[in-house]
Amino acid sequence: MSATGGATRNVVRALLAGLVVAVLACGCSTLPTQGEVHTKPDTDSGSGNQAPYFAPPGPKPGDDREGVVRGFLLAMQANPPSTAVARSFLSTRAKASWKPVRGTIVYDASDLDDPVGDQITVRLSDAHRLDPQGGWDTGPAEPTASIDFTLVREDGEWRIDNPQNALAVPASYFSSLFVPFHLYFFDKTGTVLVPTRVYLPRGEQTASNLVRGLLAGPPASAQGLVTTAFPAQADLDFAVLVSDSGVAEVPLGPGIMRLSADELDRVLLQLSWTLRQVPGINRIRLSVDGVNVPLPDGQADIGMREGTEYDPTAGPDRTLVGIVKGRVVRIDDNLSTRIGGPLGRTGFALRSVALDASRRQVAAVAANGRRLYVAPDRGPATPERVKVAVDGATDLLGPVYDRFGSLWSVDRTPAGAVVHVTTGGVDEVVRIPGVTGRRIAAFTLTRDGTRFAAALAGGAPRVAVAGLVRTPGGRFDRALTAEVVPAGDAGLGAVRDIGQVGDTTLAVLTQAATGPGRIVLVELDGSPGEPGATDPDLVPGTVASMAASPDPTMPLRIVTADRRLLLLDESGQWVRSVLTDVRAAEYPG
């Protein structure tokens, strides 16, 4: 890895972290439900971002209804996490039936209404929900979520009789106790691993919780987009045990023994990509009833770096492509070299570009935004080798190639966005619910090909993210309805561009009416993302567009309004290239 590439990885991590307010958690964590609870003064300051030890008090004799409900909410904030005290606020019937592992509600603040009979309503502001695996509900936050508690008398004391099957905790609690991870599933073609973000508690159960998440299958938000190699009804027999030498033993049910060698290989790929996030694990071993499962290659265990060809972020080519002095060029540091083929020569007035490095095709939008040209990036420069993919458009945004060779473009018409997909030279207008017909400022596709993300124009920055359902051969079939993710306040100004900069992270380039440009980091599912670190530096000057890649070896770059190129260096500073008259820059698709 180059020094610049390594720096970019650190800088992007800092970017991801700097805009996070709170880190949230999932309800699938294994929480103790029994055992003695001791209370001690809060003298531990904790280390890093971790919360200090907290053992909440149980119900007191004579507590009124409000006191019981407030005590129950507080008890769910135990550290280390435990539901033992929370259960003591429940009726005998409710203690046996309450299943908090089925989900999580995370809120900013809570307020109680006055009791009405035996019922008290709790109102939770800015509430989000997580599924049992820890996946973030992609819908918008509820301004106020209401929970009705019914209380009953037992032995003269008030107890809650109808708790929701979920934890309900403030965001501040999770900002220090839970961290984000990814579960990896295969796309519909089986040729790439697709990351799904989840939030899990710190501690020794991380590996087990990750495996349980995989075994539960793709989350509802990814239905139709991804598949899993694990057989139906697969289960974790006990817990993932990690030896002192770093070997993680994953004990699975007997159904795993019925898999073919190819199927078992794919199970191992999902496991290795998912568990490599856990520090200290360097190999994986499968077992059934205490007996090691023989692996297809005859080994007892495998390393954690298997399946690099399934990487959802690695690009086929790391050379920047751009438009400099009216021609399409490759950019290496401060040097530019024109590409082969007709678009590498002058004669075409162009404003944006995309390169399909695998298939050696270049797409470029005409300067007036009305045509989309396609040509090879090598060979003779004769004009007849240039094809027109889209003609007669109103205002075409910068095009994007997906990993299957289809060319995506969006025309900003007076009636709103019109999405085009060109495959094999045939252009088709496709409908993306939540994007088609809306005013958008920029768009991109995730490298794995499963998500279309459009930055909406006007007002505070927002991103509409739609799942792309594909055939087993990779051809676009249909789009799921887009979910809108907030990306900052109106003070950030207009959105100029959008791109993917991490497994599940987007960068949104904005420009205020006065002052420098700014980059906002947004998770595809709207969740907070990585905790810690500091905000990135503001982008100097007036910005025009951005070259972004999820590949950590490819640094973030900005094209300014005065047609200069900026690079984010290892120190987090923007460095200006000596190149001039740079109209556009993009990383290959």
Side-chain angles (χ1 to χ4, degrees):
M1 181 186 299
S2 67
T4 300
T8 302
R9 180 191 298 272
N10 294 332
V11 170
V12 169
R13 281 180 175 171
L15 290 172
L16 288 169
L19 299 173
V20 174
V21 176
V23 178
L24 308 179
C26 71
C28 66
S29 58
T30 303
L31 299 178
T33 60
Q34 297 179 347
E36 186 177 1
V37 177
H38 301 275
T39 303
K40 69 173 184 178
D42 185 8
T43 56
D44 296 336
S45 61
S47 59
N49 196 42
Q50 288 187 283
Y53 173 91
F54 174 58
K60 299 186 297 294
D63 273 348
D64 58 16
R65 288 160 293 183
E66 295 96 325
V68 169
V69 172
R70 292 187 190 280
F72 178 63
L73 293 174
L74 181 65
M76 286 187 278
Q77 302 174 41
N79 182 30
S82 169
T83 60
V85 174
R87 286 182 189 276
S88 67
F89 289 89
L90 305 181
S91 67
T92 301
R93 184 189 66 83
K95 285 179 183 177
S97 62
W98 186 44
K99 295 179 174 58
V101 296
R102 290 186 177 176
T104 303
I105 303 171
V106 184
Y107 59 89
D108 277 354
S110 62
D111 190 28
L112 274 65
D113 288 353
D114 292 334
V116 178
D118 294 338
Q119 188 175 81
I120 291 182
T121 298
V122 175
R123 303 191 185 280
L124 307 176
S125 64
D126 196 25
H128 289 272
R129 296 177 186 269
L130 288 84
D131 63 28
Q133 291 164 270
W136 184 268
D137 185 342
T138 55
E142 301 175 55
T144 302
S146 297
I147 302 177
D148 295 327
F149 288 104
T150 299
L151 289 94
V152 297
R153 287 277 195 178
E154 284 192 352
D155 299 325
E157 301 291 347
W158 290 109
R159 294 293 181 262
I160 297 169
D161 198 46
N162 66 332
Q164 287 202 353
N165 285 324
L167 292 177
V169 291
S172 57
Y173 174 79
F174 284 102
S175 66
S176 54
L177 288 177
F178 288 73
V179 291
F181 293 91
H182 291 110
L183 303 177
Y184 286 90
F185 299 97
F186 286 100
D187 78 328
K188 294 290 286 294
T189 71
T191 58
V192 68
L193 284 162
V194 178
T196 297
R197 187 172 283 277
V198 294
Y199 293 84
L200 301 175
R202 304 175 189 270
E204 298 178 355
Q205 291 297 313
T206 298
S208 297
N209 287 333
L210 286 170
V211 174
R212 290 189 185 99
L214 283 178
L215 294 174
S221 61
Q223 293 297 327
L225 308 181
V226 299
T227 62
T228 183
F230 286 91
Q233 309 303 319
D235 60 335
L236 187 65
D237 194 34
F238 178 59
V240 176
L241 302 177
V242 182
S243 70
D244 291 341
S245 61
V247 178
E249 180 179 339
V250 182
L252 299 173
I256 204 77
M257 301 298 290
R258 294 190 288 272
L259 298 181
S260 67
D262 286 345
E263 291 170 332
L264 189 57
D265 267 338
R266 297 175 78 76
V267 162
L268 290 167
L269 282 172
Q270 284 185 249
L271 284 170
S272 66
W273 273 84
T274 300
L275 290 181
R276 69 179 57 178
Q277 302 167 91
V278 182
I281 297 180
N282 53 52
R283 299 191 71 81
I284 297 174
R285 176 182 301 152
L286 303 183
S287 66
V288 173
D289 293 332
V291 179
N292 290 345
V293 175
L295 304 184
D297 58 4
Q299 296 186 67
D301 48 51
I302 65 163
M304 304 303 292
R305 295 300 166 188
E306 302 291 329
T308 56
E309 66 272 25
Y310 294 91
D311 191 336
T313 63
D317 189 331
R318 292 183 171 86
T319 303
L320 194 71
V321 63
I323 299 172
V324 177
K325 300 185 186 303
R327 63 182 69 188
V328 180
V329 301
R330 287 186 172 85
I331 299 173
D332 185 10
D333 292 329
N334 288 318
L335 300 175
S336 66
T337 306
R338 71 178 181 85
I339 65 165
L343 295 182
R345 295 186 177 274
T346 56
F348 291 89
L350 306 173
R351 72 182 193 186
S352 57
V353 65
L355 171 66
D356 182 351
S358 300
R359 298 164 185 84
R360 317 306 310 188
Q361 292 287 309
V362 179
V365 173
N368 62 9
R370 296 183 59 82
R371 281 186 170 183
L372 176 60
Y373 300 112
V374 177
D377 74 341
R378 58 181 59 195
T382 54
E384 60 267 21
R385 300 187 75 203
V386 178
K387 308 299 180 185
V388 178
V390 178
D391 198 5
T394 301
D395 182 20
L396 288 169
L397 293 170
V400 176
Y401 276 105
D402 68 24
R403 61 189 304 271
F404 304 103
S406 292
L407 176 62
W408 294 70
S409 55
V410 175
D411 186 13
R412 295 191 291 187
T413 76
V418 176
V419 182
H420 293 256
V421 179
T422 304
T423 305
V426 178
D427 179 58
E428 178 186 7
V429 172
V430 302
R431 181 173 180 272
I432 299 183
V435 173
T436 296
R438 300 187 73 168
R439 293 177 56 236
I440 72 171
F443 83 99
T444 192
L445 269 70
T446 55
R447 179 64 57 75
D448 56 40
T450 64
R451 299 295 197 285
F452 179 104
L456 303 180
R462 295 165 298 154
V463 180
V465 181
L468 301 179
V469 179
R470 296 182 180 272
T471 67
R475 191 179 182 91
F476 170 75
D477 179 33
R478 60 187 173 87
L480 305 180
T481 301
E483 298 282 357
V484 177
V485 174
D489 57 48
L492 292 170
V495 173
R496 297 293 185 224
D497 209 347
I498 186 172
Q500 185 184 4
V501 292
D503 292 67
T504 56
T505 308
L506 302 170
V508 179
L509 178 66
T510 66
Q511 179 69 62
T514 59
R518 187 159 189 166
I519 292 174
V520 180
L521 277 294
V522 180
E523 286 299 310
L524 286 166
D525 59 4
S527 65
E530 303 286 343
T534 58
D535 287 347
D537 285 341
L538 301 176
V539 186
T542 304
V543 299
S545 63
M546 173 175 60
S549 172
D551 189 330
T553 66
M554 298 161 78
L556 196 66
R557 300 175 191 253
I558 299 294
V559 178
T560 63
D562 62 356
R563 299 193 181 184
R564 302 298 293 267
L565 189 63
L566 306 179
L567 177 147
L568 190 61
D569 73 3
E570 60 184 4
S571 66
Q573 302 297 311
W574 294 99
V575 178
R576 185 182 293 269
S577 167
V578 299
L579 294 175
T580 59
D581 198 16
V582 180
R583 184 68 186 265
E586 291 291 343
Y587 285 110

